[in-house]
Amino acid sequence: MATTFELISSYTVGSGGAADITFSSIPATYTDLVLKVNLRSTLGGDYFLFSFNNTSANFSARYIYWENTSVSSASLARYGGRINTTYSTASTFASSEIYIPNYAGSAYKSYSSDSVSEGNTTAAPGSLVAGLWSDTSAINQISLLPSAANFAQYSTAYLYGVKNA
Amino acid sequence: MPATYEPIASYTAPSAQNSYTFTSIPGTYTDLKMVVNGSFNSEDYVCLQFNSDTGSNYSETPIVGNGSTVSSGRAANRAFIFTQAVAGSGVRFMVQSNFMNYSNSTTYKTVLSRTDCASRDVTASAGLWRSTSAITSIKVYGLVGNNFETGSTFTIYGIKAA
């Protein structure tokens, strides 16, 4: 029987950081995609953005986010989730899981993202995101970009394919 | 090695329809994961029922963010689990629901859902079906009576703990 949940590609940020994390040449042979990421930035940027197929156009997203005792909701196109910053507790990274159903189909592409972080301090950001890429193209490239500066060394990203048959 | 994560059933709506029901769900897995992705022809509320139970045996607690405000709610003794409202007229949304220990016959059944409609709101909810029966069918439907549009997809996966 074909494997249902398969690793497509992985990425670990090396010394010096990375301006983005990009998965290219994503095969169209799966039904859905799952991204599992663990991220920290090299400065104060505390969230990441998406681009699909090397474009930042036609995105929308709204989300719930929280930190310490505060919870709010906002909208920001391409919003992917929260990340830890250089000001977060040392050696801590925010974890996110992103689900993209029917990524290779001909309808607009929804995505769902959950981010969490904990550092034994008052700054523990998290978010729940509802996103949409209003494009009928199959997704063959996914890029994650920090809101400022670079992703820090040891940040990781794993892209999995899910088959519904 | 036995597969841990397996597709059980997948369905693509060939035409507009108000509901889809997963039937004859085997009891051989530990947990279930359901993914629904599509659109409604008009604004509606995605709801779940189990084993054809239409009694007031369901409850849920959601947190909802609409891009401006965030709120939490509660509903008890309902005839369905309400995952959240979604926009209509072709607006895409997705629902992910996780059903832990769905096949045991000793505990009430918990459902953790995420409903995402970027044009409307983002929701996380905890639902409860007050029945110790194993879940053998799951009905997904629009509460108000509107239709999932053609091409909407419904998939359920089984997850084994060993």
Side-chain angles (χ1 to χ4, degrees):
Chain A
M1 184 177 190
T3 302
T4 302
F5 197 101
E6 275 189 320
L7 178 68
I8 297 173
S9 186
S10 64
Y11 190 104
T12 301
V13 176
S15 62
D20 65 88
I21 294 173
T22 295
F23 295 98
S24 302
S25 303
I26 298 171
T29 50
Y30 300 95
T31 309
D32 306 332
L33 296 175
V34 175
L35 259 172
K36 293 180 183 279
V37 302
N38 199 221
L39 302 173
R40 184 182 178 99
S41 70
T42 56
L43 278 177
D46 63 1
Y47 62 90
F48 69 93
L49 299 171
F50 279 120
S51 69
F52 293 159
N53 295 7
N54 202 31
T55 180
S56 58
N58 302 316
F59 281 87
S60 57
R62 56 190 73 204
Y63 55 98
I64 297 169
Y65 67 100
W66 60 89
E67 187 164 355
N68 193 14
T69 59
S70 169
V71 59
S72 304
S73 184
S75 299
L76 180 65
R78 303 168 62 202
Y79 192 88
R82 304 297 293 261
I83 62 179
N84 280 14
T85 74
T86 193
Y87 308 110
S88 303
T89 301
S91 304
T92 63
F93 294 69
S95 297
S96 302
E97 178 170 311
I98 301 99
Y99 201 102
I100 310 173
N102 298 313
Y103 73 101
S106 58
Y108 289 174
K109 310 303 185 290
S110 300
Y111 68 87
S112 175
S113 173
D114 294 358
S115 298
V116 294
S117 176
E118 174 53 45
N120 199 38
T121 67
T122 55
S127 66
L128 305 174
V129 184
L132 183 71
W133 185 44
S134 297
D135 195 303
T136 57
S137 305
I139 295 173
N140 55 56
Q141 180 176 304
I142 296 174
S143 294
L144 295 79
L145 301 98
S147 55
N150 296 323
F151 289 121
Q153 185 181 19
Y154 307 122
S155 293
T156 59
Y158 297 86
L159 178 67
Y160 299 89
V162 182
K163 290 184 178 180
N164 70 352
Chain B
M1 181 178 183
T4 300
Y5 196 101
E6 286 185 318
I8 296 174
S10 186
Y11 176 81
T12 300
S15 58
Q17 59 191 83
N18 172 253
S19 68
Y20 178 74
T21 301
F22 296 97
T23 59
S24 303
I25 298 171
T28 49
Y29 299 94
T30 308
D31 308 321
L32 299 175
K33 181 181 174 83
M34 181 185 76
V35 180
V36 177
N37 182 215
S39 54
F40 273 109
N41 64 333
S42 188
E43 185 171 284
D44 209 318
Y45 308 87
V46 181
C47 295
L48 307 176
Q49 282 178 338
F50 306 126
N51 297 12
S52 302
D53 182 4
T54 58
S56 300
N57 299 314
Y58 304 87
S59 57
E60 77 271 338
T61 301
I63 180 170
V64 184
N66 64 8
S68 298
T69 59
V70 59
S71 61
S72 181
R74 258 210 62 67
N77 300 310
R78 295 228 268 205
F80 48 83
I81 286 177
F82 173 89
T83 66
Q84 186 49 11
V86 293
S89 190
V91 177
R92 302 290 291 181
F93 71 89
M94 60 182 290
V95 178
Q96 298 178 77
S97 293
N98 291 283
F99 311 83
M100 278 68 70
N101 291 316
Y102 75 100
S103 62
N104 77 58
S105 58
T106 54
T107 66
Y108 288 172
K109 304 305 181 290
T110 300
V111 183
L112 300 182
S113 293
R114 288 274 284 105
T115 302
D116 296 300
C117 184
S119 300
R120 198 181 191 282
D121 41 45
V122 53
T123 305
S125 64
L128 179 70
W129 179 41
R130 297 191 314 282
S131 171
T132 56
S133 299
I135 294 175
T136 58
S137 73
I138 301 171
K139 178 182 177 182
V140 187
Y141 67 104
L143 180 64
V144 176
N146 292 309
N147 291 328
F148 290 98
E149 293 187 307
T150 302
S152 296
T153 61
F154 306 78
T155 305
I156 199 160
Y157 300 89
I159 301 169
K160 290 186 178 180

